[in-house]
Amino acid sequence: MTESLQNLGVNFQLGRTKTVRRAYGIDEIALVPGSRTVDPEITRTTWEIGGFERDIPIIASAMDGVVDVNMAVSLSNMGSLGVLNLEGVQTRYEDPEPVLNKITSTGKEEFVPLMQEIYKQPIKEELILKRIQEIKERGGIAAVSGTPLAAIKFGNKIKDFGADLFFLQATVVSTEHIGKKGNQNLDLFHLCQNIGIPVAVGNCVTYEVSLELMRAGAAAIMVGIGPGAACTSRGVLGVGVPQATAISDCAAARNDYQKETGKYVPIIADGGIITGGDICKCIACGADSVMIGSPIARSKEAPGKGFHWGMATPSPVLPRGTRIKVGTTGSLKSILLGPAILDDGTHNLLGAIKTSMGTLGAIDLKEMQKVEVVIAPSLLTEGKVYQKAQQLGMGK
Amino acid sequence: MTESLQNLGVNFQLGRTKTVRRAYGIDEIALVPGSRTVDPEITRTTWEIGGFERDIPIIASAMDGVVDVNMAVSLSNMGSLGVLNLEGVQTRYEDPEPVLNKITSTGKEEFVPLMQEIYKQPIKEELILKRIQEIKERGGIAAVSGTPLAAIKFGNKIKDFGADLFFLQATVVSTEHIGKKGNQNLDLFHLCQNIGIPVAVGNCVTYEVSLELMRAGAAAIMVGIGPGAACTSRGVLGVGVPQATAISDCAAARNDYQKETGKYVPIIADGGIITGGDICKCIACGADSVMIGSPIARSKEAPGKGFHWGMATPSPVLPRGTRIKVGTTGSLKSILLGPAILDDGTHNLLGAIKTSMGTLGAIDLKEMQKVEVVIAPSLLTEGKVYQKAQQLGMGK
Amino acid sequence: MTESLQNLGVNFQLGRTKTVRRAYGIDEIALVPGSRTVDPEITRTTWEIGGFERDIPIIASAMDGVVDVNMAVSLSNMGSLGVLNLEGVQTRYEDPEPVLNKITSTGKEEFVPLMQEIYKQPIKEELILKRIQEIKERGGIAAVSGTPLAAIKFGNKIKDFGADLFFLQATVVSTEHIGKKGNQNLDLFHLCQNIGIPVAVGNCVTYEVSLELMRAGAAAIMVGIGPGAACTSRGVLGVGVPQATAISDCAAARNDYQKETGKYVPIIADGGIITGGDICKCIACGADSVMIGSPIARSKEAPGKGFHWGMATPSPVLPRGTRIKVGTTGSLKSILLGPAILDDGTHNLLGAIKTSMGTLGAIDLKEMQKVEVVIAPSLLTEGKVYQKAQQLGMGK
Amino acid sequence: MTESLQNLGVNFQLGRTKTVRRAYGIDEIALVPGSRTVDPEITRTTWEIGGFERDIPIIASAMDGVVDVNMAVSLSNMGSLGVLNLEGVQTRYEDPEPVLNKITSTGKEEFVPLMQEIYKQPIKEELILKRIQEIKERGGIAAVSGTPLAAIKFGNKIKDFGADLFFLQATVVSTEHIGKKGNQNLDLFHLCQNIGIPVAVGNCVTYEVSLELMRAGAAAIMVGIGPGAACTSRGVLGVGVPQATAISDCAAARNDYQKETGKYVPIIADGGIITGGDICKCIACGADSVMIGSPIARSKEAPGKGFHWGMATPSPVLPRGTRIKVGTTGSLKSILLGPAILDDGTHNLLGAIKTSMGTLGAIDLKEMQKVEVVIAPSLLTEGKVYQKAQQLGMGK
């Protein structure tokens, strides 16, 4: 058991055998304005990952409906970043277009079996090379993601293929993995030292694991396991930590690691982020950047054509997550940089961050990480109630 | 970071990097009757702002769908107060009628672009003069509102035009603003000293900012930033403080400032107030008065003709808030003074205040500010669930 | 301000000006079985009010849709008690039948004006006499209720008319009332000493007021002001105390008063009680009996014919509450004594109390008052969600 | 009053007469990953009850819609366990098929009367014998359940009939029962010593009762009384303890009893469990196994044919619970062992347990009982909101 959550703050007795901590979600907090305000136009939102300075503290998730080569390039050029999934349709199919069309046009009942079918097709090394080259040729940052399995299999070639950043992404990452005899386990320290490019590692939720990952050489830490109350990991596995607490704990590891070594390893909040307000709250809890899927999937450039689905969906034995119709609400530019067409907090995300920073008197992200936070009644915001109602088929 | 919320009452550990305070909303509290009751008819609800004594502790918000010249005059005459927005349709259009008709008849999709279009029309100084004169000629109190931008531009003429009170209203007001080089920033102290009429300033949510605003010369403080859980500021910017806590903190500043200087600066609770019960709770938390929009927008005299929308909606880059169909439920008189036709707490608001005061044994507003409050389960009240369900298109 | 809620248990800082207590509602608690169980058939549910021993700790509310002469007699005979409202249709109309028919057949919009019209008819002394005699002639206990106004007007004749018990019922009762000059105020002490029959007094929610009422001579205390989160008093006036806390506090006054004087004054929980589980919880919090309206209004014998409405509805200036269609679900006997036809906890209320007592090992009500209580997640029970959804027109 | 919940952890003042503990439900907690992960394939989920080692920590409830002879055999063979109800349709009717058909095809209104009618048929000793023999002949473990009444009547023959395990199951079990004079009460100690086969006893929720039951000779303890917020016992009787706290408390009794005697008595969490995540949370709170009904009722082999109903339903005087249409979603194998067809956490329950254990770094169930738990916002998971909405007729 990690001891990070024990003896910290207010503990409660769950019952005679368990002492527990109350963890807080993003929906339960709000940010408190102070005595100073700043003109949004002079706020600075730059941050750095693996030597790449980015103007927008937003990364598009490595999901098939969110990032393809086009999106990776566009996001790079706008000052953001998009991560290409090395184990999705882009690297299994020479032409992913018809496959994506099938995914987005199939009926609800046939979705899981179809996904399981589609993902039986093996990953092709030449397609990994091809996708990376396409991004680089068009001037984008080639950020690619893989699970520990992919890291074992392709890790030594990714740099040679031209990739700039590698996102090692497991549902839950650990520094110690007990596998079956005969199976090869990933040595994180070895990977980070030898892959030749910066490695962002995740997802984790605790101080201890964050610190261990940094010591193993991670260039960034992704934070978020079952972050939301209605999250798949929470329902299927019971696993998760509400995101506000998880970010704050992992940010503490970043701060301590910097004191120890002088190195600053950014924290990327990942999961359950829908609005500009969500992003602002994540940063205020200590994040340097966020990773988002569904808000980007709503752009007209997104490969998911208005649909969004998770990476756990094609699991042959325990499929999780669902394809959600998120709709197409505007261009990638209107979503990231505005001007907003919608007034629900899902457009002009950078504008929202800058307006929030101005309102809170934060000139840069480091100051934004220090704004005051209050616990506020945990009602779902209107957008989330609506989204949930829609998913449940209860809405209009 | 303001330190007002730190080390006060019960603090919680959000995570290793943040200590947070639990803040409470209006929906989470209830008022406790004591040993004394008072006949509602002998309760006194008078309060004073900038030398004007008012019988009703309710101000109608400076919103285009709520207050026009007619409403300002009617509200004045009833013992209440209405604030005219100096930056809305009334001062951009000689005849605002057709513009208001467009706003209330356009489709949901076209609303934001229409608003952005309408607000491109510049504010005309002669219309500011005209509106103020119209109010004065008909015997009303000319209370007008403007953002810091308007205060810089028109501040020196407002008194000459005949205005009685100026409401300086920003989403978030601060005493220190860091702007772009070359831009002119508002000097609050200078404005309050030189404008020649009393200035109500807001919105703020903390003890420190309230105190600073009073020291700068504010004649009243408006309290409320993202006060409700489903509030726009909360969703889009992540910013807000639940209103019960915000009022209590700012009221403490008022009390301390009075001890310090002998001057009493009223606290005006602004935002998320729908029913008589909400008003009573705000006063019990320490407010002297409330500012309300949607309940007044439901009067048949309201310029919004049954619709209500916020001031942030026309933002060209980050529109927030939505036009809500609130309906027309009765005359301004039935809403403010009764008799009530509806039984849901939105009619006869003064009657509700007086009945509540009688029930709680409070003879005047100062006693009402001292009644006992309990934290009660935070279910939405029926009216609010219904209103929200309607907004989401889930109701009948 | 009462000091009863201060410095007791855990206090929270609402803000800088207010220390508040968390109060708990009936929906937030659950009862914990101990090491002993009892056969429900040998549990005893008797209690006493003003010398009348009753087998069922349930009183039917003095509401026009709940109790008429017939109901009062039937309830008495079953071992329960029904209170006749001296200021309702029964004492304003010689033949209330057509009036009740109008109330239950009118449209939603016309309801409040109709009620206001109907209640303009004056109360007739001869009808008070007639109703009491009708109950007595048929062998019932004549329990009648009135507001302080009725107590002043009819108090000296009620005993002579033959009434057995008087329920003095105000929304909020106090021992000190500040009225208009010239108006006659009720002297509670005088009323209790001189009316000649036992007087139950309410409603109150605090230790201090309960104690004062007992000292003034109350024969029973009714507890409940804005007890539920969706309650009218809470919405319109902001006033209320969650019921579990209110009962426990008032029960403490009863215990202390008994220690002081040897007299035992029963506590009657009144408001928001829908199911057998609600009744059990009220007793476990310290109540001796409960007063219920809507569950009884659902009996086919009820004068409301499937509708239920409150006494504040006809207020000419501030009508509150609504007529709710509760439906007719069975005979009074099936609701009170079973067997149950419905399985949702609204039938066989006595059976539910006895089964609960058996489960919890409580042989009589005094033991039931001592069972262990836990704070449990405050979701609405299914029945209440459904009821609320129906009221909002969102259900089937 | 049990003293187990007093003076433990954080206590709250409900009111002046009651100190209460906050108890937590399964929906309010989440499990925290640590520094280690384990390959799900090498996790071990075996546990033991009464000398029978089982590979799957899941028992199918003794309910008529869940377990018949076929199901008992299939569950045994898969490594799970099914308990046959000795007081249901299987032992009242030679051929239960037409009876089950009636139950699942009748209208909603006629359901309770039909059930009451069906259960008037007496239990036949020869059918008890027959069902047990059928299970044994086909190689299953014959686990049978009965209430205390059945234990008194049939207890001395159950072993001779060939049963392997007896589940003594009351809504609430106690070691001291006060019955009517002349009635025979069950002596638990005597039953456990003399029945000749291991006896699992329940349901209970406290440390003290668990300990007493173990001392009386129970071979396993079933934990769960009104475990969920929307639970029947909670609504009708007010009785219940949120399940996470109940499990933890009873697990403490198991641990203490083992220290005292060296004997390990497994804790079976029973009630309100729907998803794999729920099962994982119960184990993390200290359970050794869970008892589930509705997830198994959704298998195509289940006797309920897509319907599920409780044992309290046929009560002639206080029917509780309802028949719920749970639907048929797949084979028993897909539900227990996968592969999953659905992605909502109700298929491949063993896979979910193993994946969760791997994620949390737990090699076996004893380690899983020690994983870290946090209190997380208590929103219903999507599946539960949906299920509830459906039950209420509010969904699609």
Side-chain angles (χ1 to χ4, degrees), chain C residues 175-205:
Chain C
T175 44
E176 183 195 348
H177 182 74
I178 305 179
K180 279 190 292 189
K181 268 179 198 159
N183 270 17
Q184 198 188 342
N185 288 328
L186 181 70
D187 179 336
L188 259 180
F189 184 84
H190 183 263
L191 177 79
C192 293
Q193 304 313 316
N194 294 286
I195 193 170
I197 54 172
V199 183
V201 185
N203 284 13
C204 74
V205 282

Side-chain angles (χ1 to χ4, degrees), chain A residues 227-235 388, chain D residues 379-382:
Chain A
C231 182
T232 308
S233 299
R234 207 75 85 76
K388 183 139 291 294
Chain D
L379 283 178
L380 288 173
T381 59
E382 182 171 321

